[in-house]
Every structure is written in C-alpha cells, then in structure tokens.
Amino acid sequence: MQNLIRMYAGEKRKIRLFVHSRKKPEDTFIIRNAKAEIYLYGDLMQTIECEIDEHDLIFLLGIEESGNYKMIITYVIADEVIKNKFEIEVR
C-alpha cells in the first residue's frame, strides 16, 4: 500500500506516524530508532532523524523544490528493521 503526501515547495509540515502491531493492538513494543529518507529520481536528497514518542514517529518535513519524491521511513523494533514507503508530490 502506498501513501501520498501533497505539499507546496517551501512548506514545512510536522509529520506524525502511528506504529501499531498487526498481530494484536495491545502488544507492547519499543521503537529503538527511526529515520526518514527523501529520494528524488533514486538519489538520496536528505535524511531526517525521527523523534520517538512511545509508538509515534515525529519529524519535520520540508522540501524546497517541486517534484515527485519518494520517502522511506525506517525504524527498528527488537530484531526487526521495518520500512514504509510514501510518495511526496511537491508543487
């Protein structure tokens, strides 16, 4: 499943992603670290470290140039490395 974020060039948005267990909603887990990587045409444009608030990943997203970007959120829970992909459309 792909997610789409639409924004304007120069805009800055605080992004908050809620991480939950697919097994049981009440499962307890700790997110050890997380980052967001922004790509344009396969080239890494920026890396943003995420703030971790229990099961939320929080970061400030700002892109100066128009274009269609890919964002990959990577986070670590126990011995798993999990990645989620987003499309960013900047006008």
Coordinates of all heavy atoms in Angstrom, one line a residue:
M1 N 0.8 -1.2 0.0 CA 0.0 0.0 0.0 C 0.9 1.2 0.0 O 1.8 1.3 0.8 CB -0.9 0.0 1.2 CG -1.7 1.2 1.4 SD -3.0 1.0 2.7 CE -2.3 2.0 3.9
Q2 N 0.6 2.2 -0.9 CA 1.4 3.4 -1.0 C 0.6 4.5 -0.4 O -0.6 4.6 -0.6 CB 1.8 3.7 -2.4 CG 2.8 2.7 -2.9 CD 3.7 3.3 -3.9 OE1 3.4 4.4 -4.4 NE2 4.7 2.7 -4.3
N3 N 1.3 5.4 0.2 CA 0.7 6.6 0.8 C 1.2 7.8 0.1 O 2.3 7.9 -0.4 CB 1.0 6.7 2.3 CG 0.5 5.5 3.1 OD1 -0.7 5.3 3.2 ND2 1.4 4.7 3.6
L4 N 0.3 8.8 -0.1 CA 0.6 10.0 -0.8 C 0.5 11.3 0.1 O -0.4 11.4 0.8 CB -0.3 10.2 -2.0 CG -0.1 11.5 -2.8 CD1 1.2 11.5 -3.5 CD2 -1.2 11.6 -3.9
I5 N 1.6 12.1 0.1 CA 1.6 13.4 0.8 C 1.7 14.5 -0.3 O 2.6 14.4 -1.1 CB 2.8 13.5 1.8 CG1 2.7 12.4 2.8 CG2 2.9 14.9 2.4 CD1 3.9 12.3 3.7
R6 N 0.8 15.4 -0.3 CA 0.9 16.5 -1.2 C 1.2 17.8 -0.4 O 0.6 18.1 0.6 CB -0.5 16.7 -1.9 CG -0.8 15.6 -2.9 CD -2.0 16.0 -3.7 NE -2.2 15.1 -4.8 CZ -3.2 14.2 -4.9 NH1 -4.2 14.2 -4.0 NH2 -3.3 13.4 -5.9
M7 N 2.1 18.6 -1.0 CA 2.5 19.8 -0.3 C 3.1 20.8 -1.3 O 3.3 20.4 -2.5 CB 3.5 19.5 0.8 CG 4.8 18.8 0.4 SD 5.7 18.2 1.8 CE 6.1 19.7 2.7
Y8 N 3.3 22.0 -0.9 CA 3.9 23.0 -1.8 C 5.4 23.2 -1.5 O 5.8 23.0 -0.3 CB 3.1 24.4 -1.6 CG 1.7 24.3 -2.1 CD1 0.7 24.2 -1.3 CD2 1.5 24.4 -3.5 CE1 -0.6 24.1 -1.8 CE2 0.2 24.3 -4.0 CZ -0.9 24.2 -3.1 OH -2.1 24.1 -3.6
A9 N 6.1 23.6 -2.5 CA 7.6 23.9 -2.3 C 7.8 24.9 -1.2 O 7.0 25.9 -1.2 CB 8.2 24.3 -3.6
G10 N 8.7 24.7 -0.3 CA 8.9 25.6 0.8 C 8.1 25.4 2.0 O 8.4 26.0 3.0
E11 N 7.1 24.6 1.9 CA 6.2 24.4 3.0 C 6.9 23.4 4.0 O 7.7 22.5 3.6 CB 4.9 23.7 2.5 CG 3.8 23.5 3.5 CD 2.6 22.9 2.8 OE1 2.6 22.4 1.7 OE2 1.5 23.0 3.5
K12 N 6.7 23.6 5.3 CA 7.2 22.7 6.3 C 6.0 22.1 7.1 O 5.2 22.9 7.6 CB 8.2 23.4 7.2 CG 9.4 23.8 6.5 CD 10.4 24.4 7.5 CE 11.7 24.7 6.7 NZ 12.7 25.3 7.6
R13 N 6.0 20.8 7.2 CA 4.9 20.1 7.9 C 5.5 19.2 9.0 O 6.4 18.4 8.7 CB 4.1 19.3 7.0 CG 3.2 20.1 6.1 CD 2.2 19.2 5.5 NE 1.5 19.9 4.4 CZ 0.7 19.3 3.6 NH1 0.5 18.0 3.7 NH2 0.1 20.0 2.6
K14 N 4.8 19.2 10.1 CA 5.2 18.2 11.2 C 4.4 16.9 10.8 O 3.2 16.9 10.7 CB 4.8 18.7 12.5 CG 5.2 17.7 13.6 CD 5.0 18.2 15.0 CE 6.2 19.0 15.4 NZ 6.1 19.4 16.8
I15 N 5.1 15.8 10.6 CA 4.5 14.5 10.3 C 4.6 13.7 11.5 O 5.6 13.6 12.2 CB 5.3 13.9 9.2 CG1 5.4 14.8 7.9 CG2 4.7 12.5 8.8 CD1 4.1 15.1 7.2
R16 N 3.4 13.0 11.8 CA 3.3 12.1 13.0 C 2.8 10.8 12.4 O 1.7 10.7 11.9 CB 2.4 12.7 14.1 CG 2.3 11.7 15.3 CD 1.3 12.3 16.3 NE 1.9 13.5 17.0 CZ 2.5 13.4 18.1 NH1 2.6 12.3 18.8 NH2 3.0 14.5 18.7
L17 N 3.6 9.7 12.6 CA 3.1 8.4 12.1 C 2.9 7.5 13.3 O 3.8 7.4 14.2 CB 4.2 7.8 11.2 CG 4.5 8.5 9.9 CD1 5.7 7.9 9.2 CD2 3.3 8.6 9.0
F18 N 1.8 6.9 13.4 CA 1.5 5.9 14.5 C 1.9 4.5 14.1 O 1.4 4.0 13.0 CB 0.0 6.0 14.8 CG -0.4 5.0 15.9 CD1 0.1 5.2 17.2 CD2 -1.2 3.9 15.6 CE1 -0.3 4.3 18.2 CE2 -1.5 3.0 16.6 CZ -1.1 3.2 17.9
V19 N 2.7 3.9 14.9 CA 3.1 2.5 14.6 C 2.4 1.6 15.5 O 2.3 1.8 16.7 CB 4.7 2.3 14.9 CG1 5.1 0.9 14.6 CG2 5.5 3.3 14.0
H20 N 1.8 0.5 14.9 CA 1.0 -0.4 15.7 C 1.3 -1.8 15.3 O 1.8 -2.1 14.2 CB -0.5 -0.1 15.6 CG -1.0 -0.3 14.2 ND1 -1.5 -1.4 13.7 CD2 -1.1 0.7 13.2 CE1 -1.8 -1.3 12.4 NE2 -1.6 0.0 12.1
S21 N 1.0 -2.8 16.1 CA 1.2 -4.2 15.9 C 0.1 -4.7 15.0 O -1.1 -4.5 15.2 CB 1.3 -5.0 17.2 OG 1.3 -6.4 16.9
R22 N 0.5 -5.5 14.0 CA -0.5 -6.1 13.1 C -1.1 -7.4 13.8 O -2.1 -7.9 13.4 CB 0.0 -6.5 11.8 CG 0.3 -5.3 11.0 CD 0.7 -5.6 9.6 NE 0.9 -4.4 8.8 CZ 0.9 -4.4 7.5 NH1 0.8 -5.5 6.8 NH2 1.0 -3.3 6.9
K23 N -0.3 -7.9 14.8 CA -0.8 -9.1 15.5 C -1.9 -8.8 16.4 O -3.0 -9.3 16.3 CB 0.4 -9.8 16.2 CG 1.5 -10.3 15.3 CD 2.6 -10.8 16.0 CE 3.7 -11.2 15.1 NZ 4.9 -11.6 15.8
K24 N -1.6 -8.0 17.4 CA -2.5 -7.6 18.5 C -2.3 -6.1 18.8 O -1.2 -5.7 19.0 CB -2.3 -8.4 19.7 CG -2.5 -9.9 19.6 CD -2.3 -10.5 21.0 CE -1.9 -12.0 20.8 NZ -1.4 -12.5 22.0
P25 N -3.4 -5.4 18.8 CA -3.2 -3.9 19.1 C -2.6 -3.7 20.4 O -2.0 -2.6 20.6 CB -4.6 -3.4 19.0 CG -5.4 -4.4 18.2 CD -4.7 -5.7 18.4
E26 N -2.8 -4.6 21.4 CA -2.3 -4.3 22.7 C -0.9 -4.8 23.0 O -0.4 -4.7 24.1 CB -3.3 -5.0 23.8 CG -3.3 -6.5 23.7 CD -4.3 -7.1 22.7 OE1 -4.9 -6.4 22.0 OE2 -4.4 -8.3 22.7
D27 N -0.2 -5.4 21.9 CA 1.2 -5.8 22.0 C 2.0 -4.6 22.5 O 1.9 -3.5 22.0 CB 1.7 -6.3 20.7 CG 1.4 -7.8 20.4 OD1 0.8 -8.4 21.4 OD2 1.7 -8.3 19.4
T28 N 3.0 -5.0 23.4 CA 3.9 -4.0 23.8 C 5.2 -4.1 23.0 O 5.7 -5.2 22.8 CB 4.3 -4.2 25.3 OG1 3.3 -4.9 26.0 CG2 4.5 -2.9 26.0
F29 N 5.7 -3.0 22.6 CA 7.0 -3.0 21.8 C 7.6 -1.6 22.0 O 7.0 -0.6 22.3 CB 6.8 -3.3 20.4 CG 5.9 -2.4 19.6 CD1 6.4 -1.2 19.0 CD2 4.5 -2.6 19.6 CE1 5.5 -0.4 18.3 CE2 3.6 -1.7 18.9 CZ 4.2 -0.6 18.3
I30 N 8.9 -1.6 21.7 CA 9.7 -0.3 21.9 C 10.4 -0.1 20.5 O 11.0 -0.9 20.0 CB 10.8 -0.4 23.0 CG1 10.1 -0.6 24.3 CG2 11.7 0.8 23.0 CD1 11.0 -0.9 25.5
I31 N 10.2 1.1 20.0 CA 10.9 1.5 18.8 C 12.2 2.1 19.2 O 12.3 3.1 20.0 CB 10.1 2.6 18.0 CG1 8.7 2.1 17.7 CG2 10.8 3.1 16.8 CD1 7.7 3.2 17.2
R32 N 13.3 1.4 18.7 CA 14.6 1.8 19.2 C 15.2 3.1 18.4 O 15.8 3.9 19.0 CB 15.6 0.7 19.0 CG 15.3 -0.5 20.0 CD 16.4 -1.5 20.0 NE 16.8 -1.8 18.7 CZ 17.6 -2.9 18.4 NH1 18.0 -3.6 19.4 NH2 17.9 -3.2 17.2
N33 N 15.0 3.1 17.1 CA 15.4 4.3 16.4 C 14.6 4.4 15.1 O 14.0 3.4 14.7 CB 16.9 4.4 16.1 CG 17.4 3.1 15.4 OD1 16.9 2.8 14.4 ND2 18.4 2.5 16.0
A34 N 14.6 5.6 14.5 CA 13.8 5.8 13.3 C 14.4 6.9 12.5 O 14.9 7.9 13.1 CB 12.3 6.0 13.6
K35 N 14.2 6.8 11.2 CA 14.7 7.9 10.3 C 13.8 7.9 9.0 O 13.2 6.9 8.7 CB 16.1 7.8 9.9 CG 16.4 6.6 9.0 CD 17.9 6.5 8.7 CE 18.1 5.2 7.9 NZ 19.5 5.0 7.5
A36 N 13.8 9.1 8.4 CA 13.1 9.3 7.1 C 14.1 9.7 6.1 O 14.9 10.5 6.4 CB 12.0 10.4 7.3
E37 N 14.0 9.0 4.9 CA 15.0 9.3 3.9 C 14.1 9.8 2.7 O 13.1 9.2 2.3 CB 15.8 8.1 3.5 CG 16.7 7.6 4.5 CD 17.4 6.4 4.2 OE1 16.8 5.5 3.6 OE2 18.6 6.3 4.5
I38 N 14.5 10.9 2.1 CA 13.8 11.5 1.0 C 14.7 11.3 -0.3 O 15.8 11.7 -0.3 CB 13.6 13.0 1.2 CG1 13.0 13.3 2.6 CG2 12.7 13.6 0.1 CD1 11.7 12.7 2.8
Y39 N 14.0 10.8 -1.3 CA 14.7 10.5 -2.6 C 14.1 11.2 -3.8 O 12.8 11.3 -3.8 CB 14.7 9.0 -2.9 CG 15.4 8.1 -2.0 CD1 14.8 7.6 -0.8 CD2 16.8 7.8 -2.2 CE1 15.6 6.8 0.1 CE2 17.5 7.0 -1.3 CZ 16.9 6.5 -0.2 OH 17.6 5.7 0.7
L40 N 14.9 11.6 -4.7 CA 14.4 12.2 -6.0 C 15.1 11.5 -7.1 O 16.4 11.5 -7.1 CB 14.7 13.7 -6.0 CG 14.2 14.4 -7.3 CD1 12.7 14.3 -7.4 CD2 14.6 15.9 -7.2
Y41 N 14.4 10.8 -7.9 CA 15.0 10.0 -9.0 C 16.0 9.0 -8.6 O 17.1 8.8 -9.2 CB 15.6 11.0 -10.1 CG 14.6 12.0 -10.7 CD1 14.8 13.3 -10.5 CD2 13.5 11.5 -11.3 CE1 13.9 14.2 -11.0 CE2 12.5 12.5 -11.8 CZ 12.8 13.8 -11.6 OH 11.9 14.7 -12.1
G42 N 15.8 8.4 -7.4 CA 16.7 7.4 -6.9 C 17.9 8.0 -6.1 O 18.6 7.2 -5.5
D43 N 18.1 9.3 -6.1 CA 19.2 9.9 -5.3 C 18.7 10.4 -4.0 O 17.7 11.0 -3.9 CB 19.7 11.1 -6.1 CG 20.4 10.7 -7.4 OD1 20.9 9.6 -7.5 OD2 20.3 11.6 -8.4
L44 N 19.5 10.1 -2.9 CA 19.1 10.5 -1.6 C 19.3 12.0 -1.5 O 20.4 12.5 -1.7 CB 20.0 9.7 -0.6 CG 19.8 10.1 0.9 CD1 18.3 9.7 1.3 CD2 20.8 9.4 1.8
M45 N 18.2 12.7 -1.1 CA 18.3 14.2 -1.0 C 18.5 14.6 0.4 O 19.2 15.6 0.7 CB 17.0 14.8 -1.6 CG 16.7 14.4 -3.0 SD 18.0 14.8 -4.2 CE 17.9 16.6 -4.2
Q46 N 17.8 13.9 1.4 CA 18.0 14.3 2.8 C 17.6 13.1 3.7 O 16.8 12.3 3.3 CB 17.2 15.5 3.1 CG 15.7 15.5 3.0 CD 15.0 16.7 3.4 OE1 15.1 17.2 4.5 NE2 14.4 17.4 2.5
T47 N 18.2 13.1 4.8 CA 17.9 12.1 5.9 C 17.4 12.9 7.1 O 18.0 13.9 7.5 CB 19.1 11.3 6.3 OG1 19.5 10.6 5.1 CG2 18.7 10.3 7.3
I48 N 16.3 12.5 7.7 CA 15.7 13.2 8.8 C 15.6 12.2 10.0 O 14.9 11.2 9.8 CB 14.3 13.8 8.5 CG1 14.4 14.6 7.2 CG2 13.7 14.5 9.7 CD1 13.0 14.9 6.6
E49 N 16.2 12.5 11.1 CA 16.0 11.7 12.3 C 14.6 11.9 12.9 O 14.2 13.1 13.0 CB 17.1 12.0 13.3 CG 18.5 11.5 12.9 CD 18.6 10.1 12.6 OE1 18.1 9.2 13.4 OE2 19.3 9.7 11.6
C50 N 14.0 10.9 13.3 CA 12.6 11.0 13.8 C 12.7 11.0 15.4 O 13.5 10.3 16.0 CB 11.8 9.8 13.4 SG 11.5 9.6 11.7
E51 N 11.8 11.8 15.9 CA 11.6 11.8 17.4 C 10.7 10.6 17.6 O 9.7 10.4 16.9 CB 11.0 13.1 17.8 CG 10.6 13.2 19.3 CD 9.8 14.4 19.6 OE1 10.0 15.4 18.9 OE2 9.0 14.3 20.6
I52 N 10.9 9.9 18.7 CA 10.1 8.7 19.0 C 9.3 9.1 20.3 O 9.9 9.4 21.3 CB 10.9 7.5 19.2 CG1 11.7 7.1 17.9 CG2 10.0 6.3 19.7 CD1 12.8 6.1 18.1
D53 N 8.0 9.0 20.2 CA 7.1 9.3 21.4 C 6.2 8.0 21.5 O 5.2 7.9 20.9 CB 6.3 10.5 21.1 CG 5.4 10.9 22.3 OD1 5.5 10.3 23.4 OD2 4.5 11.7 22.1
E54 N 6.7 7.1 22.4 CA 6.0 5.8 22.6 C 5.9 5.1 21.2 O 6.8 4.5 20.7 CB 4.7 6.0 23.2 CG 4.8 6.6 24.6 CD 4.1 5.8 25.7 OE1 3.4 4.9 25.4 OE2 4.2 6.3 26.8
H55 N 4.7 5.1 20.6 CA 4.5 4.4 19.3 C 4.3 5.4 18.1 O 3.8 5.0 17.1 CB 3.3 3.5 19.4 CG 3.6 2.4 20.3 ND1 2.5 1.7 21.0 CD2 4.7 1.8 20.8 CE1 3.0 0.8 21.7 NE2 4.3 0.8 21.7
D56 N 4.7 6.7 18.3 CA 4.6 7.7 17.3 C 6.0 8.1 16.8 O 6.9 8.2 17.6 CB 3.9 9.0 17.8 CG 2.4 8.8 18.1 OD1 1.8 7.8 17.6 OD2 1.8 9.6 18.8
L57 N 6.1 8.3 15.5 CA 7.3 8.8 14.9 C 7.0 10.2 14.5 O 6.0 10.4 13.7 CB 7.8 7.9 13.7 CG 8.0 6.4 14.0 CD1 8.3 5.7 12.7 CD2 9.0 6.2 15.1
I58 N 7.8 11.2 14.9 CA 7.5 12.6 14.6 C 8.7 13.2 14.0 O 9.9 13.0 14.4 CB 7.2 13.3 15.9 CG1 6.0 12.6 16.7 CG2 6.8 14.8 15.6 CD1 5.9 13.0 18.1
F59 N 8.5 14.0 12.9 CA 9.6 14.7 12.2 C 9.0 15.8 11.4 O 7.8 15.9 11.1 CB 10.5 13.8 11.3 CG 9.7 13.1 10.2 CD1 9.7 13.7 9.0 CD2 9.0 12.0 10.4 CE1 9.0 13.1 7.9 CE2 8.3 11.3 9.4 CZ 8.3 11.9 8.1
L60 N 9.9 16.8 11.1 CA 9.5 18.0 10.3 C 9.9 17.8 8.9 O 11.1 17.5 8.6 CB 10.2 19.2 10.9 CG 9.7 20.6 10.3 CD1 8.2 20.8 10.6 CD2 10.5 21.7 10.9
L61 N 9.0 17.8 8.0 CA 9.2 17.6 6.5 C 9.1 18.9 5.8 O 8.1 19.6 5.9 CB 8.2 16.6 6.0 CG 8.3 16.3 4.5 CD1 9.6 15.6 4.1 CD2 7.1 15.4 4.0
G62 N 10.2 19.2 5.1 CA 10.3 20.4 4.3 C 11.1 20.2 3.0 O 12.2 19.7 3.1
I63 N 10.5 20.5 1.9 CA 11.1 20.3 0.6 C 11.0 21.6 -0.2 O 9.9 22.1 -0.3 CB 10.5 19.1 -0.2 CG1 10.7 17.8 0.6 CG2 11.2 19.0 -1.5 CD1 10.0 16.6 0.0
E64 N 12.2 22.1 -0.7 CA 12.2 23.4 -1.3 C 11.9 23.4 -2.8 O 11.4 24.4 -3.3 CB 13.6 24.0 -1.1 CG 14.0 24.3 0.3 CD 13.0 25.2 1.0 OE1 12.6 26.2 0.4 OE2 12.7 25.0 2.2
E65 N 12.1 22.2 -3.5 CA 12.0 22.2 -4.9 C 10.7 21.3 -5.3 O 10.4 20.3 -4.7 CB 13.2 21.5 -5.6 CG 14.5 22.2 -5.3 CD 14.7 23.4 -6.1 OE1 14.3 23.4 -7.3 OE2 15.4 24.4 -5.6
S66 N 10.0 21.8 -6.4 CA 8.9 21.0 -6.9 C 9.4 19.7 -7.5 O 10.5 19.6 -7.9 CB 8.2 21.8 -8.0 OG 7.6 23.0 -7.4
G67 N 8.5 18.7 -7.4 CA 8.8 17.4 -8.0 C 8.1 16.2 -7.3 O 7.3 16.5 -6.4
N68 N 8.3 15.0 -7.8 CA 7.7 13.8 -7.2 C 8.8 13.1 -6.4 O 9.8 12.5 -7.1 CB 7.1 13.0 -8.2 CG 5.9 13.7 -8.8 OD1 5.0 14.2 -8.1 ND2 5.8 13.7 -10.1
Y69 N 8.7 13.0 -5.1 CA 9.7 12.4 -4.3 C 9.2 11.1 -3.7 O 8.0 10.8 -3.6 CB 10.0 13.3 -3.1 CG 10.7 14.6 -3.5 CD1 9.9 15.7 -4.0 CD2 12.1 14.8 -3.4 CE1 10.5 16.9 -4.4 CE2 12.6 16.0 -3.8 CZ 11.9 17.0 -4.3 OH 12.4 18.2 -4.7
K70 N 10.2 10.3 -3.3 CA 9.9 9.0 -2.5 C 10.4 9.2 -1.1 O 11.5 9.8 -0.9 CB 10.5 7.8 -3.1 CG 10.2 7.6 -4.6 CD 9.3 6.5 -4.8 CE 9.1 6.2 -6.3 NZ 8.1 7.0 -7.0
M71 N 9.7 8.8 -0.1 CA 10.2 8.9 1.3 C 10.1 7.4 1.8 O 9.1 6.8 1.7 CB 9.3 9.8 2.1 CG 9.7 9.9 3.5 SD 8.8 11.1 4.5 CE 7.1 10.6 4.4
I72 N 11.2 7.0 2.5 CA 11.2 5.7 3.1 C 11.4 6.0 4.6 O 12.4 6.6 5.0 CB 12.3 4.8 2.5 CG1 11.9 4.5 1.0 CG2 12.3 3.5 3.3 CD1 13.0 3.7 0.3
I73 N 10.5 5.5 5.4 CA 10.6 5.6 6.9 C 11.2 4.2 7.3 O 10.6 3.2 7.0 CB 9.3 5.8 7.6 CG1 8.6 7.0 7.0 CG2 9.4 5.9 9.1 CD1 9.2 8.4 7.2
T74 N 12.3 4.3 8.0 CA 12.9 3.0 8.5 C 12.9 3.1 10.1 O 13.4 4.1 10.6 CB 14.4 2.9 8.0 OG1 14.3 3.0 6.6 CG2 15.0 1.6 8.4
Y75 N 12.5 2.0 10.7 CA 12.5 2.0 12.2 C 12.8 0.6 12.6 O 12.6 -0.4 11.9 CB 11.2 2.6 12.8 CG 9.9 2.0 12.3 CD1 9.3 1.0 13.0 CD2 9.3 2.4 11.1 CE1 8.1 0.4 12.5 CE2 8.1 1.9 10.7 CZ 7.5 0.9 11.4 OH 6.4 0.4 10.9
V76 N 13.4 0.5 13.9 CA 13.8 -0.8 14.4 C 13.0 -1.1 15.6 O 12.9 -0.3 16.6 CB 15.3 -0.7 14.8 CG1 15.8 -2.0 15.4 CG2 16.2 -0.3 13.6
I77 N 12.4 -2.3 15.6 CA 11.7 -2.8 16.8 C 12.3 -4.2 17.1 O 12.2 -5.1 16.2 CB 10.2 -2.9 16.5 CG1 9.6 -1.6 16.3 CG2 9.5 -3.6 17.7 CD1 8.2 -1.6 15.8
A78 N 12.8 -4.4 18.3 CA 13.5 -5.7 18.6 C 14.6 -6.0 17.6 O 15.4 -5.2 17.3 CB 12.5 -6.8 18.8
D79 N 14.5 -7.2 16.9 CA 15.5 -7.5 15.9 C 15.0 -7.3 14.5 O 15.6 -7.7 13.6 CB 15.9 -9.0 16.1 CG 14.7 -10.0 16.0 OD1 13.6 -9.5 15.9 OD2 15.0 -11.2 15.9
E80 N 13.9 -6.6 14.4 CA 13.3 -6.3 13.0 C 13.6 -4.9 12.6 O 13.6 -3.9 13.4 CB 11.8 -6.4 13.1 CG 11.3 -7.8 13.3 CD 9.8 -7.9 13.3 OE1 9.1 -7.1 13.9 OE2 9.3 -8.8 12.6
V81 N 13.9 -4.7 11.3 CA 14.0 -3.4 10.6 C 12.9 -3.3 9.7 O 12.7 -4.2 8.8 CB 15.4 -3.3 9.9 CG1 15.4 -2.0 9.1 CG2 16.6 -3.5 10.8
I82 N 12.0 -2.3 9.9 CA 10.8 -2.2 9.1 C 10.9 -0.9 8.3 O 11.3 0.1 8.8 CB 9.6 -2.1 10.1 CG1 9.6 -3.4 10.9 CG2 8.3 -1.9 9.3 CD1 8.8 -3.3 12.2
K83 N 10.4 -1.0 7.1 CA 10.4 0.2 6.2 C 9.0 0.4 5.6 O 8.3 -0.5 5.2 CB 11.4 -0.1 5.0 CG 12.8 -0.2 5.5 CD 13.8 -0.2 4.4 CE 15.2 -0.3 4.9 NZ 16.1 0.4 4.1
N84 N 8.6 1.7 5.6 CA 7.3 2.1 5.0 C 7.6 3.1 3.9 O 8.4 4.0 4.1 CB 6.4 2.7 6.0 CG 5.9 1.6 7.0 OD1 6.3 1.8 8.2 ND2 5.2 0.6 6.6
K85 N 7.0 3.0 2.8 CA 7.2 3.9 1.6 C 6.1 4.9 1.4 O 4.9 4.5 1.5 CB 7.4 3.0 0.4 CG 7.8 3.8 -0.9 CD 8.0 2.9 -2.0 CE 8.3 3.6 -3.3 NZ 8.4 2.7 -4.4
F86 N 6.4 6.1 1.1 CA 5.4 7.2 0.8 C 5.8 7.9 -0.4 O 7.0 8.0 -0.8 CB 5.4 8.2 2.0 CG 4.9 7.6 3.3 CD1 5.8 6.9 4.1 CD2 3.6 7.8 3.7 CE1 5.3 6.4 5.3 CE2 3.1 7.3 4.9 CZ 4.0 6.6 5.7
E87 N 4.9 8.4 -1.2 CA 5.1 9.3 -2.3 C 4.9 10.7 -1.8 O 3.9 10.9 -1.0 CB 4.1 9.0 -3.4 CG 4.2 7.6 -4.0 CD 5.4 7.3 -4.8 OE1 5.9 8.3 -5.5 OE2 5.8 6.2 -4.9
I88 N 5.7 11.6 -2.2 CA 5.5 13.1 -1.9 C 5.4 13.8 -3.2 O 6.3 13.8 -4.0 CB 6.7 13.6 -1.0 CG1 6.8 12.7 0.2 CG2 6.4 15.0 -0.7 CD1 8.1 13.1 1.0
E89 N 4.3 14.5 -3.4 CA 4.1 15.4 -4.5 C 4.3 16.8 -4.1 O 3.5 17.3 -3.3 CB 2.7 15.2 -5.1 CG 2.4 15.9 -6.3 CD 1.0 15.7 -6.8 OE1 0.7 14.6 -7.2 OE2 0.2 16.7 -6.7
V90 N 5.3 17.5 -4.6 CA 5.6 18.9 -4.2 C 5.3 19.8 -5.4 O 5.9 19.6 -6.5 CB 7.0 19.1 -3.7 CG1 7.3 20.5 -3.3 CG2 7.3 18.1 -2.6
R91 N 4.4 20.7 -5.2 CA 4.1 21.7 -6.3 C 4.8 23.0 -6.2 O 5.1 23.4 -5.1 CB 2.6 21.9 -6.3 CG 1.8 20.7 -6.6 CD 0.3 21.0 -6.7 NE -0.4 19.9 -6.2 CZ -1.7 19.9 -6.0 NH1 -2.4 21.0 -6.1 NH2 -2.3 18.9 -5.5

